[in-house]
Amino acid sequence: MRKVGRKGSCNSAVDGGIYFSLVKAKLFGGRLTTVYALFLLLAAFPSAPTTMISAFTLKGFSTNYNFGRSRFYSVISKNLLDTQSSSTASAKGFEIVFHDRSPDGLYLGIRVDQDGDIDSSHWLYKYLHPEEVRFGLDLSKRHNNIRPFHMGRLAMRQLFLSSQLGSYEHEPMLRDCYGRPILPKGVSGSISHKRNIAVAIVSNESLFRKGDEGISSVHHHVGVDIELITPKTNIGKRVLTQNERDNLGMIGLSKTEETLLRFSLKESIYKAIHPVLNQYIGFQEAEVTPHENGTATAILNLKSGNQTQIEYITAHWEKILDNEYFLTSATATARNIR
């Protein structure tokens, strides 16, 4: 489990934090059929201008189409997974294990073979920018094998290749002073990893605005987290409020599992709001409530009062990879302050 309480200065890593705010959005009049049709249209024509799906917590969509508890694949996403996994065999060092679109964005996960030292002929150089390989190795002088940094960049680059974002092969995807991945202008993305699994996500806004002129800022920020479901965890008192602990066990999960799920949701939402707030947020400053349909709601009570900078946040969760992992994602939209 990640260390709790890292501060949000330029010397700390975003993916080691957790915290967030959520203003739950409402589905327009419960018109599920219209929204679902729009979702399929966007999947088929991702470059079409449109109102972003990520602007809504699709509660009805999640309930009726099983986004939370079981895998949901759009036709396009499943075809991409079949194609990519066959061409990216584990013999090359990694394989794509899931690829999908959620209301928060397009995401992709890989399983990586971490064995063996990295030399000049290592397969990693075929998929990463040389500076990314060197940067990852420099993070630990004691190890010369594939590091979590490499895994995250592998996942992100495979996600770029599977979307209209392109290869972006001439620039390294390093990280900024907060630990956030440095991505092309106008693209919001997030990375997470656990053991030999890494996942990357890019926001729907990033996909639909690709190629637009004059993009100088991102208004919809996305976060992702993946956690291995373990039978025991002692993090409840550190990461949950008393109210959260009192309300565990109401969505069909054990209290241990739900504690981990709430932790993961807070991780994702913290990553989503951090580009807006750029500040440390403690575990006790936020409460998150997961729902059986794969959505989540939350209340943010920042000591600084800076939650007013956020218009709204959506969050989603599901079990993946034979129900061994929780995958969570979130989208934060910055308030347009004139």
Side-chain angles (χ1 to χ4, degrees):
M1 194 57 59
R2 296 184 180 92
K3 184 177 180 181
V4 176
R6 294 185 182 180
K7 294 186 177 180
S9 69
C10 262
N11 295 319
S12 64
V14 163
D15 61 359
I18 121 135
Y19 339 88
F20 73 122
S21 90
L22 174 66
V23 177
K24 191 177 180 184
K26 296 181 179 179
L27 190 61
F28 284 127
R31 298 178 183 271
L32 175 61
T33 303
T34 302
V35 174
Y36 182 55
L38 175 61
F39 182 85
L40 293 181
L41 177 64
L42 296 180
F45 304 97
S47 61
T50 180
T51 300
M52 302 308 304
I53 285 182
S54 61
F56 311 107
T57 300
L58 300 182
K59 196 168 184 179
F61 173 86
S62 299
T63 302
N64 290 292
Y65 295 94
N66 297 318
F67 178 78
R69 287 308 183 90
S70 60
R71 302 289 297 147
F72 168 80
Y73 288 99
S74 68
V75 174
I76 290 180
S77 294
K78 190 175 188 306
N79 289 340
L80 280 170
L81 175 63
D82 294 340
T83 302
Q84 292 285 325
S85 59
S86 63
S87 62
T88 312
S90 58
K92 295 181 180 180
F94 71 97
E95 60 178 339
I96 296 175
V97 291
F98 56 86
H99 184 281
D100 206 350
R101 187 189 297 275
S102 82
D104 296 308
L106 186 67
Y107 61 86
L108 179 146
I110 60 173
R111 179 181 287 113
V112 182
D113 178 4
Q114 296 174 285
D115 295 334
D117 290 342
I118 298 176
D119 57 25
S120 59
S121 61
H122 196 274
W123 61 264
L124 202 58
Y125 283 97
K126 297 179 181 179
Y127 301 97
L128 296 185
H129 191 282
E131 289 187 34
E132 294 170 351
V133 178
R134 290 192 293 269
F135 189 94
L137 291 174
D138 289 342
L139 292 175
S140 176
K141 299 297 183 181
R142 296 180 299 172
H143 302 280
N144 195 40
N145 59 349
I146 293 179
R147 311 305 302 150
F149 176 88
H150 297 135
M151 294 168 53
R153 270 61 191 175
L154 276 170
M156 184 62 77
R157 287 197 174 276
Q158 289 300 302
L159 181 55
F160 267 53
L161 288 171
S162 69
S163 69
Q164 65 267 39
L165 292 173
S167 64
Y168 195 60
E169 60 185 8
H170 300 300
E171 296 292 335
M173 296 180 181
L174 301 180
R175 64 187 189 188
D176 65 14
C177 60
Y178 291 105
R180 302 178 301 215
I182 298 175
L183 301 175
K185 183 179 179 181
V187 175
S188 174
S190 180
I191 290 170
S192 183
H193 42 75
K194 184 62 63 174
R195 293 191 173 180
N196 66 335
I197 303 294
V199 59
I201 189 172
V202 292
S203 69
N204 287 314
E205 179 190 42
S206 301
L207 296 171
F208 300 136
R209 296 202 312 179
K210 174 64 179 174
D212 288 356
E213 296 295 331
I215 296 176
S216 59
S217 63
V218 174
H219 298 289
H220 301 283
H221 302 271
V222 70
V224 71
D225 186 65
I226 187 169
E227 296 293 339
L228 178 67
I229 300 174
T230 55
K232 293 183 179 181
T233 179
N234 298 316
I235 64 171
K237 290 184 178 180
R238 290 183 293 159
V239 304
L240 302 183
T241 66
Q242 183 63 55
N243 185 56
E244 287 175 310
R245 298 199 300 273
D246 290 342
N247 287 281
L248 293 172
M250 298 184 181
I251 58 172
L253 299 175
S254 69
K255 291 186 177 182
T256 298
E257 285 185 332
E258 191 177 338
T259 296
L260 182 64
L261 173 58
R262 291 183 188 232
F263 169 80
S264 183
L265 283 164
K266 288 185 178 184
E267 284 274 339
S268 289
I269 299 176
Y270 170 69
K271 293 178 183 179
I273 69 172
H274 192 272
V276 181
L277 302 180
N278 291 311
Q279 71 173 75
Y280 166 76
I281 305 172
F283 288 98
Q284 304 301 314
E285 293 181 82
E287 291 188 350
V288 58
T289 303
H291 307 292
E292 285 188 284
N293 63 10
T295 64
T297 58
I299 298 172
L300 184 68
N301 185 25
L302 296 184
K303 296 177 181 177
S304 66
N306 287 339
Q307 63 266 25
T308 56
Q309 298 179 30
I310 299 171
E311 185 71 25
Y312 55 82
I313 293 180
T314 63
H316 301 85
W317 70 274
E318 60 181 313
K319 284 185 175 181
I320 63 170
L321 300 178
D322 297 324
N323 293 329
E324 292 184 0
Y325 292 83
F326 281 126
L327 178 67
T328 62
S329 61
T331 299
T333 299
R335 185 179 298 277
N336 186 16
I337 301 176
R338 299 180 183 272

